[in-house]
Amino acid sequence: GENVEQHPSTLSVQEGDSAVIKCTYSDSASNYFPWYKQELGKGPQLIIDIRSNVGEKKDQRIAVTLNKTAKHFSLHITETQPEDSAVYFCAATPITGNQFYFGTGTSLTVIP
Amino acid sequence: NAGVTQTPKFQVLKTGQSMTLQCAQDMNHEYMSWYRQDPGMGLRLIHYSVGAGITDQGEVPNGYNVSRSTTEDFPLRLLSAAPSQTSVYFCASSYPGTGGADTEAFFGQGTRLTVV
């Protein structure tokens, strides 16, 4: 099955700085790569996603890049704010269905 | 629109007891799935369903049963709880996109289960 690795496990940045979280995957058949944000006591919520036919996608302060050859994708958050503090998960989905394989999560802390 | 609703939010079981975690969605999604979340291990897929009457195993199915008699409901059963099943459980639903592989998954608020 698919194996998704995520780094770093914890990340602290000063408010206004950028944060980058990286993931790798193993199954070349995976074609959909969502990123989820989980706040304390809540379920994960989608913040951005990218499909295999696209190399980069941006939504305001959040961007995701995908390198299919190297099998890695990254989340970039610019101008970080305290409300960005949360746990972020990457995931990969094989073409066969909606079976999401998640990374182990990154706990992001934005220091005011 | 309630989205994905999980009950209960918290539960304490004794080893060997059984229980059912409930999950209901009102978005007419075909796909539903159960994940468990453990510290340092992210979310791992337990069971999933691609439609009413169809279920399949995920990464960590042992000790859990599921059924899908309606589109809306996807209960997760623990037949004989063990301390290793102490975890936070999340139910998710999604609507198949093109090719059935690229669509947003909506998660419930989770059930925190402790087995003593």
Side-chain angles (χ1 to χ4, degrees), chain A:
Chain A
E2 175 65 276
N3 181 44
V4 178
E5 295 188 357
Q6 182 173 347
H7 300 280
S9 57
T10 60
L11 180 61
S12 291
V13 298
Q14 292 288 332
E15 183 177 357
D17 288 350
S18 296
V20 180
I21 303 170
K22 298 182 179 182
C23 288
T24 61
Y25 62 99
S26 61
D27 190 346
S28 57
S30 290
N31 68 352
Y32 176 61
F33 307 92
W35 286 89
Y36 284 84
K37 177 182 181 181
Q38 186 179 28
E39 297 176 338
L40 196 62
K42 297 185 178 181
Q45 188 168 12
L46 180 74
I47 55 171
I48 195 167
D49 56 15
I50 192 167
R51 289 162 176 76
S52 59
N53 59 345
V54 176
E56 183 174 359
K57 183 176 179 180
K58 189 174 181 180
D59 183 4
Q60 298 182 335
R61 296 186 297 108
I62 296 174
V64 57
T65 58
L66 171 66
N67 183 328
K68 283 217 71 178
T69 303
K71 296 196 187 70
H72 66 71
F73 55 114
S74 300
L75 177 71
H76 305 254
I77 305 175
T78 59
E79 301 172 16
T80 53
Q81 301 168 2
E83 51 264 39
D84 294 329
S85 295
V87 179
Y88 292 81
F89 291 97
C90 62
T93 304
I95 197 167
T96 52
N98 286 60
Q99 304 155 44
F100 293 88
Y101 293 88
F102 286 85
T104 50
T106 296
S107 178
L108 173 65
T109 301
V110 179
I111 304 166

Side-chain angles (χ1 to χ4, degrees), chain B residues 30-112:
Chain B
E30 293 183 26
Y31 290 104
M32 296 187 73
S33 50
W34 277 101
Y35 295 85
R36 59 176 290 172
Q37 184 175 28
D38 302 294
M41 302 191 75
L43 292 98
R44 292 181 293 169
L45 182 64
I46 304 172
H47 285 285
Y48 66 98
S49 169
V50 299
I54 306 170
T55 63
D56 207 344
Q57 296 180 351
E59 299 173 82
V60 288
N62 292 341
Y64 308 94
N65 283 343
V66 293
S67 60
R68 183 96 179 270
S69 56
T70 67
T71 299
E72 295 77 20
D73 300 299
F74 191 43
L76 178 72
R77 297 184 183 86
L78 285 72
L79 297 180
S80 179
S84 60
Q85 294 178 304
T86 293
S87 187
V88 181
Y89 292 84
F90 288 99
C91 177
S93 75
S94 55
Y95 190 79
T98 303
D102 53 355
T103 178
E104 176 179 358
F106 293 84
F107 285 82
Q109 294 291 299
T111 295
R112 185 175 294 275

